[in-house]
Amino acid sequence: MKNKLGKVLSFLREWDHGDRTVRGRMLNTFLIQNTGKTFYELELEFAQVASLFLARVTTWMRLTYMFGTFLGLQLNAIGIFLSASSHDQYLMEFLEDGGVLTLLEILSHPKSKEEEKAEALRLLHTVSNAGRKYKEFICESDGVKAIAEFLATSNADKTQETARALLETLSHGNPKYQIQLYKSLIALMTCSSPKVQQLVMCTLRTVQFKMNTAHHSIIEPLLNMLRSLHVEVQDEATNLILLLTSYDVRPVLLSGLVSLLRPTKEESQKHQLNTEVPSEPEIIKRTGSLPVFVQQAAAAKTIRLLAEDSPDVSRELLSLGVIQHLLHTLGNREHTDAQIQASMALEHFVREYPVIEEQVQRVMGCTLSEAFMHKAETLYMNKDETQAESLLTNNLNISDGKGCNLFSSCCSNVLCTNRLVCNVVMNKLRSAMHKGKRVGLEMVKKGTAKRKKSETAVKEEDTKNDSAPSTYHTFPDPADVVLLRSHLLNWYDKEKRELPWRTLAVTESDLNIRTYAVWVSEIMLQQTQVATVIDYYNKWMKRWPTVQDLAAATLEEVNQMWAGLGYYSRGKRLHEGSQKVVSELKGQMPHTVDSLLKQLPGVGRYTAAAIGSISLGQVTGAVDGNVIRVLCRLRAIGADSTSPPVTEALWSLVNKLVDPERPGDFNQAMMELGARVCTPKGPLCSQCPVQTHCRSYSKVHAKQEKKSQKLLGKLDRKPSTLPDIEECVNSRTCPLCPSEPWDDKLGVQNFPRKPAKKPPRVERTLTCVVLRTGEDGEDEYLLTQRPNKGLLAGLWEFPSLLLDDKSSEVKHKRALCAEISTLVGINLSESNFKCVGEVVHIFSHIHQTYVVHSLSLKDRDTQTPTESTQWLTKSALQEAAVSTGVKKIVKLCDSVDSQKEQTLKDGKRKKQANMKNGKKHQTTKKKKLGAANMSSRQLSLSSFFKTVKDESD
Ligand code: SF4
Ligand code: ZN
């Protein structure tokens, strides 16, 4: 230790006295030697004083970042320390040395390069992830402003996304600065970059969701977003509006939306002006009044979505005169989409509240209203100028003309002349509420009620329905589901690996070939790694590009192609399935998940769902091993992941989550996430696109935060109240909660839990390598085929016999010898069996030891091959459909062989040397044979065969 400390001190001295070239070199060496090290490893390397070096690098960075010379190296070196900070020590020291401030300054410094800014953001992310106090520190340092400004000015997609994710992380568990963050995000909406607008609204939804109220300043910029010519921006705005209807800003928001259906005079005039100039290029029109109509169309669309979602909102919209405004929008003669969207929204109201139909008919006239009721979305093609004008200027007021609006809340007045009509409407509203608009209802109810509900109330609700899983393990909020899909798919679109089957699933237009191609990939990927499958898959598809080609192949060819992929029955089932498709289904692959499941051998629930969603676009989730892990972590499901309640819960979860527009991509994205980010060991939570939805992640961080509160005495002297860690309210009786206690060391890896693994079955198999000399003098091996069912079905192997404990090895040898005698048609004796050695081969559930013997036949006068036996040369054997165990046996024989040859050579050399020395030795053939027999366990096959031949001479 003393020695190490001495080395470290001289290292630090060299640093202190070195110029920037020396320091640059030292940083390079540090990075090479220490990347990926843990806190303890770094401490060991630096004799417990690693932070002395961190302080030096941080200070150097603070002094020189504006010149940018070694900024990249400095950031990377600091990254090593911060990532190793499972302990808070480095983080605290970094903070105290002003590291966070420097990182924020780097973001706005004009000389910093894009990758340096990206690295600074990543480091800030690490700091923020360390807990609430660190988040507060970043916010106190004006971090939100710096990050928001960076987001507004950055042009790189990836860095923008990192900045957005950082803002989102800062909003988690940071109540003190939540409002500041929220307002900064609202301000950012006015930024001109559509990408930033989209990112900001997406983050705003997450932040808003955690707040009790919404700020009125959000309304104007949000409604302005509906003018965007970018569909993604419009969609995000619509989603945010949907969420905001659960908050106190709802009345202002709805009335704002309705007024967008009727642009102001000035705006319309501006439009007239633009369209009167026929030569005006389209682009100028776009910057002129087009956005007004785009906004009008988006408002109509949003109104429809809101009304479909909630009868309450629907009624409020009616009382705001939405029908009159929609009719006005229908009169728009310039923008088709505005007319279509208004038609569709109007259709919704008319169908839900038939009382409106009569009024609409009056404004439209008979012919137009017939066309409207027949196909609302094509109405714009049917109207003439006069009809358009009357729609535009309609002054429909759905009231009795005495100031009583049909849809206002005046129905309590028993003398009201509209009471009858109102009752019809209200009945309709009630039935709509019961009919299945539950999603919308839940959303509205949840927004208002959830926030008020006391913990006990939640408990009561959760325990009322024992059979349904607690909401802690589900996604009860549709808005959350929408958000998760979008986070996951955005990530997948950017990060997915290009794999041959993915390419085929997208580029292959023939449905039959596409389904076949995905089927092959799914079967190959069962229990085999992607990297191994790629080569096999390419070769397979080249050789059998269609299901018909595969059906025409022999099982032998299929097994040969499959050799090395393991679990041979999979290849066999693919082959059987292809023959079934050709002979029983007229060559047509099944086209639904159900028929895939029923009609294809080897296709289970997961495989059918995967093929159905990826190749056929069927809306179904798919649960494989990766998805089990991701879902169990996302919803903190810790009971045995193979138990029936967990299995069912996972299927129901994924079926709820799957994106109806992109089911195949969604399923692949979940699997990709499990394979690359949410891995079994060392999950990369800081890079996870669905981190904000992850219960295990929040659980770990809430625990860490509690701990760091104690450790951070230096930064926070005031006691702060941390929210309790959210838990399942039914945990004691819950079939999805872990039965074992939480293990701090495991973190998110507490989920999922697997049942204790059964030890593999131990088996010993007696096997005999039977050789003869072939026609051209080359050795040939006798192989027999395994049964068509069970382990290694249909593969070729050396004659073998499973040893059972009850009979002796001699008895087994006798039985195997008798079997080989029948196979080759020669009466053999077991004394001809020579022991070669043992080979161990481990299957997933069997620990197999082959006890290898060999036997050489004197001539070729053996029985001709039958259907289940064949003689193969060594090279043919290597190509044949044999298992890895057989190849290992051949290898053993070869090594024994070369060992023997070496021994013989050595003996020869010795003999020559002895002769030189005049010592002549008389060695008899018998003696040689004796020696050979003595060492029979090490004999090479060829010398052994030679010996047996000599013996019989
Ligand atoms: Fe998995 Fe971590 Fe992402 Fe949660 S945050 S899903 S545990 S990688
Ligand atoms: Zn539970």
Side-chain angles (χ1 to χ4, degrees), residues 75 84 108 112 187 221 295 307 369 460 545 651 737 757 865 924:
L75 288 164
S108 58
S112 310
Q295 191 180 24
S369 74
E460 270 167 21
W651 275 95
C737 268
K757 230 181 171 185
T924 63

Side-chain angles (χ1 to χ4, degrees), residues 96-319:
E96 284 168 356
D97 292 335
V100 166
L101 290 169
T102 315
L103 292 179
L104 292 169
E105 278 158 21
I106 289 169
L107 292 184
S108 58
H109 198 271
K111 277 200 180 156
S112 310
K113 295 186 197 110
E114 198 58 36
E115 58 273 18
E116 291 159 355
K117 291 181 181 181
E119 188 57 31
L121 281 170
R122 268 193 290 275
L123 295 185
L124 284 166
H125 220 288
T126 312
V127 175
S128 165
N129 277 339
R132 177 171 162 182
K133 289 300 140 206
Y134 294 100
K135 289 177 193 186
E136 289 182 352
F137 189 87
I138 294 176
C139 295
E140 274 156 21
S141 316
D142 259 352
V144 174
K145 189 165 167 258
I147 301 162
E149 276 170 3
F150 170 79
L151 185 56
T153 50
S154 164
N155 291 321
D157 276 7
K158 209 160 182 167
T159 341
Q160 281 176 341
E161 179 54 45
T162 318
R164 185 208 66 79
L166 177 55
L167 287 177
E168 194 168 313
T169 317
L170 284 173
S171 76
H172 271 294
N174 187 10
K176 196 168 160 193
Y177 288 94
Q178 201 170 42
I179 296 283
Q180 186 202 47
L181 198 104
Y182 177 65
K183 288 190 176 166
S184 302
L185 287 169
I186 294 178
L188 262 182
M189 267 203 284
T190 54
C191 155
S192 61
S193 151
K195 176 77 194 178
V196 173
Q197 292 167 346
Q198 188 195 347
L199 291 174
V200 164
M201 283 189 285
C202 174
T203 318
L204 256 173
R205 263 195 294 151
T206 322
V207 178
Q208 181 67 67
F209 198 71
K210 293 182 215 136
M211 300 181 59
N212 291 330
T213 58
H215 200 272
H216 278 68
S217 62
I218 196 171
I219 308 286
E220 197 188 329
L222 180 57
L223 292 178
N224 280 341
M225 289 295 106
L226 294 179
R227 281 180 188 213
S228 172
L229 300 179
H230 296 265
V231 184
E232 300 83 5
V233 176
Q234 267 196 20
D235 285 350
E236 276 300 343
T238 307
N239 286 334
L240 188 51
I241 291 172
L242 278 162
L243 176 67
L244 283 171
T245 52
S246 314
Y247 290 81
D248 42 359
V249 291
R250 179 156 104 189
V252 194
L253 187 62
L254 295 184
S255 93
L257 261 180
V258 172
S259 65
L260 289 181
L261 294 174
R262 199 188 268 269
T264 60
K265 241 184 197 162
E266 298 79 60
E267 282 167 331
S268 298
Q269 274 167 2
K270 194 172 165 191
H271 172 67
Q272 301 255 308
L273 222 107
N274 279 335
T275 48
E276 266 166 24
V277 188
S279 61
E280 190 178 26
E282 182 64 15
I283 191 73
I284 297 178
K285 274 203 248 168
R286 278 170 166 245
T287 56
S289 59
L290 182 64
V292 175
F293 296 126
V294 168
Q295 191 180 24
Q296 194 184 27
K301 181 181 166 191
T302 313
I303 283 172
R304 176 175 54 84
L305 293 174
L306 288 170
E308 283 173 357
D309 249 5
S310 155
D312 278 354
V313 174
S314 197
R315 196 162 49 149
E316 280 174 55
L317 285 165
L318 287 169
S319 69

Side-chain angles (χ1 to χ4, degrees), residues 629-635 673-674 677-679 682-698 747-749 751:
R629 185 167 56 258
V630 174
L631 285 177
C632 284
R633 288 181 182 164
L634 279 177
R635 294 293 102 172
L673 186 75
V677 177
C678 195
T679 46
L684 306 168
C685 296
S686 61
Q687 294 166 28
C688 177
V690 294
Q691 188 202 74
T692 50
H693 307 266
C694 184
R695 296 235 195 272
S696 37
Y697 179 81
S698 357
V748 296
Q749 286 167 232
F751 308 103

